[in-house]
Amino acid sequence: MADENDRGLESALRRRLLMGLAAVPAVAALPRLALAAPPTSAVNTTGLAVTDTEVTVGILHSVTGTMAISETGAQQAEKLAIEQINAEGGVLGRKIKIIQEDGASDWPTFAEKAKKLLVNDKCAAVFGCWTSASRKAVLPVFEQYNGMLYYPTFYEGLEESKNVIYTGQEATQQILAGLDWVAKEKGGKTFFFIGSDYIWPRTSNKIARKHVENVIKGKVVGEEYFPLGHTQFNSVINKIKLTKPNVIFADVVGGSNVAFYKQLKAAGIDLSKQVLMTISVTEDEIDGIGGENIAGAYACMKYFQSLKNPNNEKFVPAFKKMWGEKTVIGDVTQAAYLGPYLWKLTAEKVGSFDVDKIAAGSAGVEFKGAPEGYVRIHPNHHLWSKTRVGLAKADGQFEVVYESADLIEPNPFPVGYQ
């Protein structure tokens, strides 16, 4: 009878796949369908929204406001991962149910919605946030109510929490590695920093300045910040033209990027001659900027849509099948895709949805099906990952021009940079 049930489940899954309801990458780490779900009393001892057939999670991103240009892809990737996981039988025999909230590019709203997801909806995990400001706003909520957040964005580091898994890169894996590359390969000695005015760009540039001055032995010739949503950059562009830096180092975020890069081009700054390195523009932002306005710039990330590996060659078509052929996939989108899989793998490792057990059991969990190639959770709740540099092209994609030889160990508290 068990074999018949197993065959019936697998036959149903094959029918779903043939009907196009899910496009599942080959993921070596995923187990076969479970024949019987463990009892709810065994996997949920803390009152989470878990039944015999379902487990509820939250998605919390900005789908409105200036950050929607960046965050739309993240929530799409999370939904794709969850659909694929459900097609494979779910987590601990339970299908994942989603409750989605809109942070609306407003940090107090993020905190309010996080509390709702944890206290009212009792979500077993939440996948969300983009800016460091939104993460900082929700962190006390997750720690107070003992929730688990999977945060997908590259960020400044200087943080570690039992209640967060950081699936993007921290400063040593992105900022320092990117500066080392641009100094070595492009002769970067003088830098002009331009960023959005909140914690991530300011802290990132503080770290970058120390590296430029103390390690590269270079000089920062200008540093400017602008509010989120800002659209008038002509004044700072004039300063850039006057100071003639070897490198423009940009961490402008969200919709402001559209105005910034269009105005750079209109001012006659040719990015094939003037080196610009961004740590904030992915394919998602270029979709709004226009490839012709940013071609020639460099970005330091861990993932680009153009990566050539078997996992990514399955992931990209699956994403486009679900969200449309014209959609693009950036670094944070890919890192968001990792969250549901890492949560699933951890829950199955510890045999429970309980947050304390998930937090304690996360170290060492590896996802061999990651589109970036492979990731593993460090005891500090960040991921081992590679650093890559991409050259922006007119078609909106990046050509990978550098990749670190090995995975880089995450170090969110680098000595000398705090």
Side-chain angles (χ1 to χ4, degrees), residues 177-197:
L179 289 171
D180 285 342
W181 180 87
V182 82
K184 178 182 178 182
E185 300 297 330
K186 299 297 173 181
K189 282 294 183 181
T190 60
F191 293 77
F192 195 109
F193 294 170
I194 177 170
S196 296
D197 193 7

Side-chain angles (χ1 to χ4, degrees), residues 181 186 271-278 281 283 286 291 294-301 304 306 388-402:
W181 180 87
K186 299 297 173 181
L271 296 182
S272 68
K273 299 175 181 177
Q274 167 64 65
V275 177
L276 183 149
M277 171 163 278
T278 174
V281 172
E283 292 87 338
I286 293 179
I294 195 172
Y298 294 93
C300 186
M301 307 281 170
F304 296 101
S306 59
R388 297 177 172 96
V389 174
L391 173 64
K393 301 191 299 180
D395 65 0
Q397 290 294 306
F398 286 93
E399 176 189 350
V400 179
V401 296
Y402 167 75

